[in-house]
Amino acid sequence: MTKAHEGAGAGQTAHAAAWFTAITATTDERVFIRGAALDAAIGGMSFPSMLLLLWRGDVPSEAEADLMGACLVAAIDHGPLAPSALVARTIASTRATPMSALAGGILSFGELHGAVVSRAMRILAAVPGHGDLEVWADGVFEAERAAGRRLPGVGHRWHTDDRRAEALLDVATGLAGERHIAAVRALATRVGVHVGHPVAVNIDGALAVSLTALRIDPEYGDFLFAIARSFGLAAHVVEERDRERPMRLIDPTAAFYDGVPIPDNLAKETDR
Amino acid sequence: MTKAHEGAGAGQTAHAAAWFTAITATTDERVFIRGAALDAAIGGMSFPSMLLLLWRGDVPSEAEADLMGACLVAAIDHGPLAPSALVARTIASTRATPMSALAGGILSFGELHGAVVSRAMRILAAVPGHGDLEVWADGVFEAERAAGRRLPGVGHRWHTDDRRAEALLDVATGLAGERHIAAVRALATRVGVHVGHPVAVNIDGALAVSLTALRIDPEYGDFLFAIARSFGLAAHVVEERDRERPMRLIDPTAAFYDGVPIPDNLAKETDR
Amino acid sequence: MTKAHEGAGAGQTAHAAAWFTAITATTDERVFIRGAALDAAIGGMSFPSMLLLLWRGDVPSEAEADLMGACLVAAIDHGPLAPSALVARTIASTRATPMSALAGGILSFGELHGAVVSRAMRILAAVPGHGDLEVWADGVFEAERAAGRRLPGVGHRWHTDDRRAEALLDVATGLAGERHIAAVRALATRVGVHVGHPVAVNIDGALAVSLTALRIDPEYGDFLFAIARSFGLAAHVVEERDRERPMRLIDPTAAFYDGVPIPDNLAKETDR
Amino acid sequence: MTKAHEGAGAGQTAHAAAWFTAITATTDERVFIRGAALDAAIGGMSFPSMLLLLWRGDVPSEAEADLMGACLVAAIDHGPLAPSALVARTIASTRATPMSALAGGILSFGELHGAVVSRAMRILAAVPGHGDLEVWADGVFEAERAAGRRLPGVGHRWHTDDRRAEALLDVATGLAGERHIAAVRALATRVGVHVGHPVAVNIDGALAVSLTALRIDPEYGDFLFAIARSFGLAAHVVEERDRERPMRLIDPTAAFYDGVPIPDNLAKETDR
């Protein structure tokens, strides 16, 4: 028989190289995640606890699980005009498979949409334990500018004040070092000086603070956002298939909301 | 100016067609999901409750939210040999972006891996309110065979008895009509007669029973599985990038577990 | 060491299962495709010839290679309003990777956009060698309607008369059995009777006739379309990144053409 | 009616923003690519010529079209052990859609597999018109190392001498400035000094030289590779579905070639 690749290189691949995983083991009857029997966890452990166990390797406290749950809630959807939702809906409109629509939506999480939480976490990981945070924020701001990058975690193209971010920071307070919360606020202040108007901490920044407090590898930051948002993308795919004709041209300037009415006092507040 | 498409057809697309969504509305400060202010939900609502609100449109009971949480836990990971995990790891090994690895993993959810919960839900939706379930199961079995399809929700290539499924059915009992639980067991019995050995309800079947009990549109069944599993795929991507050299050839027959030891009594039980 | 999957099932996967490919072999210095040395083919064989060799297994005639080339040309682009182009551009606008934008575009090839050539080829493969094609077309039309499917290969949402299709059928004449050309025209006629106005053979239909004449496995039909169109998607991604600001909302009703002017006589003809 | 996004931001999106494309215009009957009628090009223009027209904007010479064709041939496949082929096959084995398998394969083109042609083109674009190329190569080598990147265009994990690359450079000679060919050879020499054994120009390097000679935007470099290779991925998907059982575990160390025999003299030469 001839190997599909023959030659000196083939020798290197002729023997199975053993490799190792510390995540999950399965037997004929059971699945164990980080050593915990999954059948016992079903009904016995909350989902945010299981997720922290999976991603961090140890069982979290209740307060930690609550913060993880709040992160998932915060990112779950942001309406039909997010690029990921428009992509998922456009694919759904061709009647390609629902899974294709979801994957397409996820592929739109780029440097400018969603995929900045990990980067924000890496910036926060380098916050010095003491010293002037204004000076630190200034250094970070200049370094990111020099690299041609937008500073992650602050500002939003629509929201001048993002209440999601503030609500999440409230949940994180106590678990998050006050230092990290102060650091992300210092970044917002620094950018505000640059653009000439107040700039708020955004949802990416609040997620970065929270996930840092939960001691998760920064690599998971973008995944947290993308997967939580996937639940929202699924809702857009199902609605697109249910309500709209196939192969329509989707005009993002003509999207209207006709769902459960928004409470008057909140809408009013918005109109002020 | 010349339209990118000119002619009779252009007229049809010249005017923005208004379209509607009932999922999410955003203002300058706030996000409302199914009418609920997201900032209030962050810290104020559990993630499974929010997910049910998003996908079903009304706030669930606590028991319903617990069942939804159990569904998410049940599907979160199944080890490194699932095709989706192998795909995500292979992509991660080329150092393509983490998001590409996740999307690739999701694309492997096909008719034989993951993407059968919706089909199982549609079969359960047609269970008659009364009458002999053996007769019904026989009819479903024959119809699926005639269509050249594997009956979804029962049997597994590895697990002879899938404790995840039984644990989830336990949580669902009470909320799920006993009828649906009996129906999926009748399907397993029918397939067992065909293959000549006992066949168990699998995780897809237990998810289908649970999500049917939660009154979710069957279209969401495959999404629930795929997105819950995405959290597991993320763990495989992160581990692959952390532990393995780039561009390795991944041999699925040479994967070993070296994580937290599996409790002795459970391992023994498995070895019997 | 503990296998990642332990138990009866593990035994089944413990030994490497040999598997075989007849496509490509590589050595330390060379690549052989269907037995042909790739280094000799570079500069020595036209691309359409190589593609036919790869997909069909034998070296084609020059006329066959010309028809394959014409198929690739015919599908290469269809403007910025095709769902695949809108998806690729939307992803590009978030500054996700170019490869993500391409993959997203490909995922939008569904039952209603692009991914119907294989189905059309399977219908043509069943054209009877003799007998009344009107009767045959009637049967196909009724069968597809009964299955809830749109008949592939005829009609277009924009083009009342699709000159790409006619040009490709011209190239195919001679190689394509006249019978297959007549069959696809009979399908167009049948649908025209149903909708009450003339319906033309579309590009999918002309591709199906051509690829059937080239004796390619029908499974390749959708791939031919999707991959040829990928070259066009690449152009849209590059233009989007070059000309447009990031994170723009793309309004498909506001797309204008400002490229090389269209020849007057052709534009006039269109205006008639 | 309530806009899906309401507030100050909504005003910005309320009016359709006109946008422009110079690629393709469509009318009811015709498609024009860079001003050329597609129906006339079908049968009237070779595929590589059309591709250059599409990507570059002007009609190429015959020698240019031949070089473009050679680039496509060179990248068309590299066997079943490339990560992209393994991903496409794994997805195909779950019986997810063929389009999902193709998209998954494309997503595996990362920094270490395929997606380096654009980077190599950007390096070549900066080759000085005169001066010592050894000095230049030394500078590039040091700069890439300092950035933690592998130098693109030279070396391969399997091929010690890559005949595809040499064959493509032969075709490019004349069109490619000798300067660029000399530059990429200088890079190979420089890396060879570093690793202590001769290092060859690889297919990425030869593609970068060729596409630079064809005056294509470097952004297209990775697309050329990825899309040409997609034709090969399609062949792997079709073979996987035809020859293998679903849901198999694909062992890359156990792949054998059983296609058209490789000519004796070439195989012998390889064995020397």
Side-chain angles (χ1 to χ4, degrees), chain B residues 1-5 13 15 80 97 100 107 158 253-257, chain C residues 1-5 13 15 80 97 100 107 158 253-257:
Chain B
M1 288 196 295
T2 310
K3 275 272 188 182
H5 177 74
T13 65
H15 302 291
T97 65
S100 295
L107 290 173
W158 297 340
T253 69
F256 293 89
Y257 175 75
Chain C
M1 288 195 296
T2 310
K3 275 273 185 181
H5 177 72
T13 66
H15 303 291
T97 65
S100 295
L107 290 174
W158 296 339
T253 69
F256 293 89
Y257 175 76

Side-chain angles (χ1 to χ4, degrees), chain D residues 9 18 28 33 37 43 46 49 76 97 115 127 143 154 159 176 185 203 206-207 211 227 246:
Chain D
D28 278 0
I33 293 184
S46 78
S49 291
I76 199 167
T97 65
V127 171
V154 301
H159 301 289
R185 290 205 193 282
I203 187 68
L207 285 170
L211 298 174
I227 305 175

Side-chain angles (χ1 to χ4, degrees), chain C residues 86-105:
Chain C
L86 288 169
V87 164
R89 281 177 173 271
T90 303
I91 297 179
S93 85
T94 72
R95 295 300 180 262
T97 65
M99 226 48 94
S100 295
L102 173 59

Side-chain angles (χ1 to χ4, degrees), chain B residues 161-185:
Chain B
D161 179 19
D162 190 333
R163 286 176 186 245
R164 297 176 296 172
E166 291 304 318
L168 187 55
L169 289 177
D170 278 355
V171 181
T173 304
L175 280 174
E178 301 302 310
R179 187 82 180 159
H180 283 148
I181 295 179
V184 75
R185 290 205 193 282

Side-chain angles (χ1 to χ4, degrees), chain D residues 13 33 40-41 43 61 67 82 91 106 117 119 163 173 177 183 201-202 205-206 215 218 267:
Chain D
T13 66
I33 293 184
S61 71
L67 178 54
I91 297 179
I106 286 171
V117 180
R119 191 149 67 85
R163 287 178 185 244
T173 305
V201 175
N202 66 23
R215 294 181 289 112

Side-chain angles (χ1 to χ4, degrees), chain A residues 119-138:
Chain A
R119 192 148 68 83
M121 289 176 74
R122 292 193 183 99
I123 289 173
L124 286 181
V127 172
H130 44 83
D132 190 336
L133 283 173
E134 270 187 51
V135 175
W136 170 80
D138 203 58

Side-chain angles (χ1 to χ4, degrees), chain A residues 53-183:
Chain A
L53 172 60
L54 172 69
W55 280 6
R56 197 178 72 182
D58 60 282
V59 178
S61 70
E62 201 171 322
E64 287 177 324
D66 286 348
L67 178 54
M68 185 52 137
C71 290
L72 292 167
V73 168
I76 199 166
D77 196 50
H78 198 221
L81 302 187
S84 47
L86 288 169
V87 164
R89 281 177 173 271
T90 303
I91 296 179
S93 84
T94 73
R95 296 299 180 261
T97 64
M99 226 48 94
S100 295
L102 173 59
I106 285 172
L107 290 173
S108 74
F109 294 125
E111 189 185 322
L112 300 176
H113 174 43
V116 291
V117 180
S118 290
R119 192 148 68 83
M121 289 176 74
R122 292 193 183 99
I123 289 173
L124 286 181
V127 172
H130 44 83
D132 190 336
L133 283 173
E134 270 187 51
V135 175
W136 170 80
D138 203 58
V140 171
F141 178 78
E142 295 301 340
E144 293 293 302
R145 279 193 74 192
R149 287 193 296 258
R150 232 179 124 274
L151 198 64
V154 301
H156 194 277
R157 58 176 177 155
W158 297 340
H159 301 290
T160 47
D161 179 19
D162 190 333
R163 289 178 185 243
R164 295 176 297 171
E166 292 303 318
L168 187 55
L169 289 176
D170 279 354
V171 180
T173 304
L175 280 174
E178 301 303 309
R179 187 80 180 160
H180 284 148
I181 295 180

